[in-house]
Amino acid sequence: MTSTLYQQIQQFYDASSGLWEQIWGEHMHHGYYGADGTLKKDRRQAQIDLIEELLKWAEVPVGEGLTAPANILDVGCGIGGSSLYLAQKFNASATGITLSPVQAARAKERAAVAGLSDRTSFQVADALNMPFADDSFDFVWSLESGEHMPNKQKFLQECYRVLKPGGTFLMATWCHRPVGGADGQLSDDERKHLAEIYRVYALPYVISLPEYETLAGKSFENIRTADWSTAVAPFWDIVIDSTLDPKAVLGLLFSGWTTIQAALSLGLMSRGYEQGLIRFGLLCATKK
C-alpha cells in the first residue's frame, strides 16, 4: 500500500510541479490573510507572510544575540521554496527532502540561481525512514506535508529522532475537524468529501489536530497547537481564480490528467473550509 501511495505522490508532483511553479511561484502552500482571513494581498506575499507568521507563532529565534537555527530540515520541501527562504533568513544550512525527483532537481536549480548551493541540499527520501543520523537538525520544518504521511505516528517519531535536543519542530498540515464528545463523529457526507480529496491529491488520510497533539505527546515536550483555518481559507478561491489565466489553461492541457483533475477539484478544498470540515492545523514542540 505504502509503495503504491508513494508512487502516486511522486507522479502527482512530478507531473504538476512545473505548472504550479509557473502559475503560483516557488511556494506551494497556503497563504496567510490575517487572523480573520479578510486581508487583501498578493498571493505570493500571502505565502511569504504565512512562513513569517508561523515562525513568529512558534517563537523561532530571529535576530542578533539570539540562537537562531543553524541546521534546518524541510520535510516535504517541494521545489525548495521554504528551504531557500529559511536558509537565507537565518543564514543557516537547509536540507530538503521530497518523494519527487523532479522537485528535488528543480530545488537544486533554484538554489544555484539564488547562490545558495553551498548551504542547501535536496534529495529524494522517505520522511518515515529518513537517511539522517539521530540529533542532526536544530529545526525541523514541515509545511503541508503531514497530510501525505501514511503513518502519522512514525512521521512524528522520525522528526523527533533527527531533531537535536533543545531543537524545535514546527508543522502546519491539513486536518479534518475534531471528532468525539460534543463534536460528534464524521458524517457519511463528510467521509465522502474527504475520500474525494484523498483521491485527487494522493493523500492516505488526514486526522484532527487534537489527534496530532496526542501523538506528539508520546515524545515531544512543550507542545502547542493552533487552528488557522480562517486565516488561510481564502487561498483556495484565489487559486481557483488563477486557473482561469490563459497560461494556466494551456499548461493544464499539457500536464496530464492527474493535474487537470486536481485543478478541477479545487472547489473540494474551498467547500471543505466553508463547511468546517477541513482545518489548517499548527503544532510546534521541542525535544529535551
Side-chain angles (χ1 to χ4, degrees):
M1 139 62 177
T2 301
S3 61
T4 306
L5 174 70
Y6 284 176
Q7 284 173 345
Q8 289 172 345
I9 295 169
Q10 178 201 320
Q11 288 162 4
F12 178 77
Y13 285 107
D14 279 355
S16 64
S17 291
L19 177 65
W20 294 155
E21 182 182 7
Q22 178 193 346
I23 305 303
W24 295 356
E26 69 272 33
H27 295 288
M28 298 183 182
H29 55 76
H30 283 76
Y32 183 85
Y33 298 91
D36 61 359
T38 59
L39 292 183
K40 303 293 182 201
K41 56 175 83 169
D42 169 73
R43 182 188 41 72
R44 186 178 186 281
Q45 186 58 52
Q47 291 174 302
I48 297 293
D49 289 349
L50 179 66
I51 295 174
E52 289 292 343
E53 292 293 335
L54 285 170
L55 295 172
K56 198 186 303 178
W57 175 78
E59 298 174 357
V60 179
V62 184
E64 288 185 33
L66 298 172
T67 313
N71 201 4
I72 299 166
L73 175 64
D74 183 359
V75 183
C77 64
I79 59 170
S82 290
S83 308
L84 299 177
Y85 188 88
L86 296 171
Q88 219 154 17
K89 181 178 180 67
F90 293 113
N91 194 24
S93 295
T95 301
I97 61 170
T98 173
L99 288 174
S100 165
V102 169
Q103 287 189 334
R106 182 63 186 133
K108 288 174 186 172
E109 288 173 1
R110 295 194 60 259
V113 171
L116 290 169
S117 294
D118 58 334
R119 286 201 276 125
T120 58
S121 67
F122 299 95
Q123 58 187 284
V124 175
D126 176 5
L128 302 189
N129 187 21
M130 293 195 242
F132 309 117
D134 296 359
D135 309 335
S136 292
F137 303 93
D138 51 19
F139 184 33
V140 174
W141 165 274
S142 169
L143 181 50
E144 299 183 43
S145 60
E147 57 268 21
H148 282 296
M149 304 301 167
N151 185 329
K152 313 303 189 198
Q153 179 72 73
K154 184 79 164 68
F155 166 55
L156 293 176
Q157 286 171 344
E158 272 294 271
C159 290
Y160 182 86
R161 181 184 69 77
V162 301
L163 188 63
K164 290 179 181 175
T168 299
F169 170 61
L170 173 57
M171 72 179 293
T173 188
W174 304 6
C175 300
H176 63 59
R177 67 168 177 79
V179 293
D183 294 304
Q185 295 303 312
L186 294 173
S187 68
D188 287 345
D189 282 346
E190 286 177 320
R191 290 180 188 282
K192 284 176 189 164
H193 193 137
L194 288 171
E196 275 300 287
I197 290 172
Y198 300 162
R199 184 179 65 80
V200 170
Y201 295 107
L203 309 181
Y205 64 98
V206 300
I207 61 177
S208 68
L209 188 54
E211 288 173 284
Y212 270 115
E213 188 169 7
T214 299
L215 292 177
K218 295 179 180 179
S219 48
F220 287 98
E221 290 193 316
N222 305 315
I223 298 166
R224 287 193 297 130
T225 61
D227 183 327
W228 280 14
S229 305
T230 304
V232 304
F235 178 74
W236 288 92
D237 287 333
I238 291 163
V239 171
I240 289 168
D241 288 345
S242 75
T243 60
L244 301 176
D245 179 286
K247 280 191 303 184
V249 173
L250 191 61
L252 274 172
L253 292 175
F254 286 99
S255 60
W257 173 240
T258 55
T259 309
I260 292 170
Q261 191 172 223
L264 293 173
S265 304
L266 291 167
L268 283 169
M269 290 298 291
S270 181
R271 289 195 303 279
Y273 275 116
E274 280 172 23
Q275 295 163 9
L277 172 62
I278 302 297
R279 303 293 177 87
F280 192 80
L282 276 55
L283 185 147
C284 77
T286 56
K287 177 176 179 176
K288 67 175 170 188

